[in-house]
């Protein structure tokens, strides 16, 4: 099986468009079916709710059947999508007894508002009655509806880019830019690199950066924080899915961040294929975490490569706030005890 973001055929986006479609007169279309299936799976998998009854979590998305496409006609974008989704959930009550059930969504479509979505939650036939079913229907359905709303939002923002082409006047203006401006732009671009998104064929200007911070704990403990699902959920304060093994996937912060663990050297190094959900489809950055033993503390050195240049500051701020600072505050790794 291909690694996430590296040639997986589900990430290939077919595009039928006329490159000479000046003034957006002709009909252009993008097939985003495979991309949609992967995004819906990532957004639903790992959704978790807790209550007095216990906890429930979506553990498998067994079927995502349908299609999705984006069309441009005379400069107007039209979104088509129609899906039937089936998933499985597992509940655990307060004394540790587990129950299994299903979720069915028959009408995820551009014709229906999110509030009109039918989300059916049931218990497997061989399972005894449990209050966990009501918990899933009450709280789980809210999170499922929110996750599918995020899918529609990502669909409209991520893939609408490039569907409306420049007008003829705009093209002529671009062609008349002074040659000196072209030389200047080339000089600026030379300080970074250009990556090619495997799914869209769009060239992305990328940069690399590094960060480091010190944590008052051992490399073993800090390493475990990034790979243990319960610990990730603790410092993000949100449901997360983390398969902490080489090749395992992760999804956190309500699906806004996800990726795959590409290489793991226990207590020393973690290599991730990491991305924001808003990045161009299929494009991932390589994030390397090196855990340096400094006696009573650990120096964590982060190296990021292939980051879209316009996302550098956002990614730096996000790692500092939602990873480094959050981990220190949650587990007490930032303050010395007297």
């Amino acid at each position: 099986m291909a690694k996430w973001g590296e040639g997986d055929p589900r990430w290939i986006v077919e595009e039928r468009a006329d490159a000479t479609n000046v003034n957006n007169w002709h009909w252009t279309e993008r097939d985003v079916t495979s991309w949609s299936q992967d995004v819906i799976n990532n957004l639903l998998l790992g959704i978790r709710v807790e209550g007095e009854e216990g906890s429930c979590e979506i553990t498998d998305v067994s079927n995502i059947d349908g299609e999705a496409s984006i069309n441009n006609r005379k400069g107007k974008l039209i979104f088509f999508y129609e899906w039937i989704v089936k998933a499985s959930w597992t509940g655990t009550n307060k004394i540790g007894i587990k129950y299994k059930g299903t979720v069915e969504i028959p009408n995820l479509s551009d014709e229906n508002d999110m509030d009109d979505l039918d989300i059916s939650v049931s218990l497997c036939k061989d399972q005894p009655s449990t209050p966990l079913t009501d918990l899933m229907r009450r709280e789980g359905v809210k999170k499922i509806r929110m996750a599918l709303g995020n899918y529609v939002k990502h669909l409209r923002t991520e893939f609408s880019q490039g569907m409306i082409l420049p007008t003829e006047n705009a093209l002529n203006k671009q062609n008349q830019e002074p040659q000196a401006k072209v030389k200047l732009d080339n000089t600026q671009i030379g300080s970074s690199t250009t990556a090619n998104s495997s799914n869209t064929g769009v060239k992305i200007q990328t940069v690399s950066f590094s960060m480091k911070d010190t944590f008052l704990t051992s490399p073993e403990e800090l390493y475990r924080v990034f790979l243990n699902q319960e610990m990730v959920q603790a410092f993000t304060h949100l449901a997360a899915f983390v398969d902490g093994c080489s090749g395992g996937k992760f999804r956190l912060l309500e699906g806004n961040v996800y990726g795959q663990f590409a290489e793991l050297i226990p207590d020393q190094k973690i290599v991730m294929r990491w991305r924001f959900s808003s990045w161009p489809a299929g494009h991932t950055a390589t994030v390397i975490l090196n855990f340096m033993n400094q006696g009573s503390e650990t120096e964590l050195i982060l190296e990021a490569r292939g980051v879209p240049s316009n996302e550098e500051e956002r990614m730096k701020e996000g790692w500092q706030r939602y990873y480094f600072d959050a981990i220190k505050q949650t587990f007490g790794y930032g303050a010395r005890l007297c």
Side-chain angles (χ1 to χ4, degrees):
M1 180 179 295
K3 291 184 177 181
W4 177 87
E6 295 183 348
D8 187 333
R10 295 177 302 166
W11 284 81
I12 297 175
V13 180
E14 296 179 1
E15 180 175 359
R16 295 181 295 277
D18 184 353
T20 62
N21 188 21
V22 178
N23 295 325
N24 301 285
W25 182 259
H26 302 298
W27 181 283
T28 60
E29 178 179 334
R30 276 185 179 178
D31 181 355
V32 293
T33 297
S34 297
W35 174 87
S36 294
Q37 288 171 324
D38 202 83
V39 169
I40 292 172
N41 180 80
N42 278 317
L43 288 171
L44 292 180
L45 197 61
I47 283 180
R48 180 183 175 87
V49 293
E50 296 184 4
E52 295 180 356
E53 306 89 337
S55 63
C56 299
E57 181 176 353
I58 292 182
T59 53
D60 180 58
V61 182
S62 57
N63 186 59
I64 306 174
D65 186 30
E67 60 182 349
S69 64
I70 305 173
N71 299 274
N72 171 19
R73 177 60 173 167
K74 297 182 180 180
K76 180 180 180 181
L77 291 180
I78 305 171
F79 297 84
F80 296 102
Y81 56 91
E82 187 171 5
W83 297 104
I84 298 174
V85 182
K86 296 181 181 180
S88 301
W89 61 273
T90 298
T92 306
N93 67 13
K94 290 297 185 180
I95 60 175
I97 299 176
K98 293 186 179 296
Y99 299 83
K100 294 183 178 181
T102 60
V103 176
E104 293 192 14
I105 307 160
N107 64 336
L108 176 56
S109 166
D110 58 273
E111 297 181 355
N112 298 318
D113 293 332
M114 279 298 134
D115 292 338
D116 299 327
L117 210 58
D118 293 329
I119 304 175
S120 174
V121 174
S122 59
L123 200 62
C124 291
K125 293 181 179 180
D126 60 344
Q127 301 285 295
S129 178
T130 171
L132 291 171
T133 308
D134 293 331
L135 173 64
M136 194 64 184
R137 287 172 178 164
R138 186 177 67 251
E139 301 299 330
V141 164
K142 292 179 184 178
K143 289 201 171 184
I144 292 170
R145 199 181 303 276
M146 183 182 298
L148 295 176
N150 284 335
Y151 155 67
V152 175
K153 181 178 70 174
H154 295 331
L155 177 68
R156 292 179 180 275
T157 56
E158 184 164 344
F159 274 102
S160 60
Q161 298 177 12
M163 285 294 291
I164 299 180
L165 303 178
T167 63
E168 186 171 13
N169 288 337
L171 287 174
N172 290 336
K173 185 177 180 180
Q174 290 174 3
N175 291 334
Q176 293 170 3
E177 290 290 332
Q179 195 68 25
K181 176 68 162 54
V182 175
K183 290 181 179 179
L184 175 60
D185 288 344
N186 287 339
T187 302
Q188 293 172 339
I189 292 173
S191 63
S192 60
T193 58
T194 303
N196 197 31
S197 175
S198 60
N199 300 328
T200 62
V202 177
K203 290 185 177 180
I204 302 171
Q205 186 177 333
T206 64
V207 296
S208 300
F209 67 82
S210 62
M211 301 172 62
K212 64 180 179 179
D213 208 333
T214 301
F215 298 78
L216 301 179
T217 187
S218 66
E220 294 81 6
E221 284 298 315
L222 187 58
Y223 176 88
R224 191 163 68 93
V225 167
F226 290 91
L227 302 180
N228 182 282
Q229 179 168 301
E230 292 184 357
M231 298 182 82
V232 171
Q233 290 179 156
F235 75 75
T236 60
H237 305 289
L238 291 166
F241 173 77
V242 180
D243 183 8
C245 63
S246 183
K249 297 182 181 181
F250 58 86
R251 180 185 67 83
L252 54 150
L253 298 174
E254 297 184 326
N256 289 308
V257 168
Y258 58 96
Q260 186 178 41
F261 297 110
E263 180 185 358
L264 299 176
I265 301 177
D267 309 331
Q268 298 179 38
K269 184 178 183 180
I270 296 175
V271 180
M272 292 180 268
R273 302 283 179 253
W274 190 100
R275 64 175 269 126
F276 281 121
S277 60
S278 58
W279 286 2
H283 183 82
T284 62
T286 298
V287 174
I288 304 170
L289 301 178
N290 291 292
F291 300 81
M292 313 301 293
N293 192 339
Q294 302 293 337
S296 61
E297 56 190 31
T298 299
E299 184 179 53
L300 180 60
I301 301 174
L302 178 150
E303 299 175 46
R305 304 167 185 166
V307 178
S309 57
N310 61 338
E311 293 285 294
E312 179 182 1
E313 290 307 313
R314 178 191 177 201
M315 188 169 170
K316 283 181 178 178
E317 292 173 3
W319 268 91
Q320 187 64 53
R321 177 179 177 182
Y322 294 107
Y323 282 92
F324 295 174
D325 293 348
I327 288 171
K328 289 181 179 182
Q329 293 169 5
T330 301
F331 302 110
Y333 295 163
R336 295 185 181 276
L337 300 177
C338 298

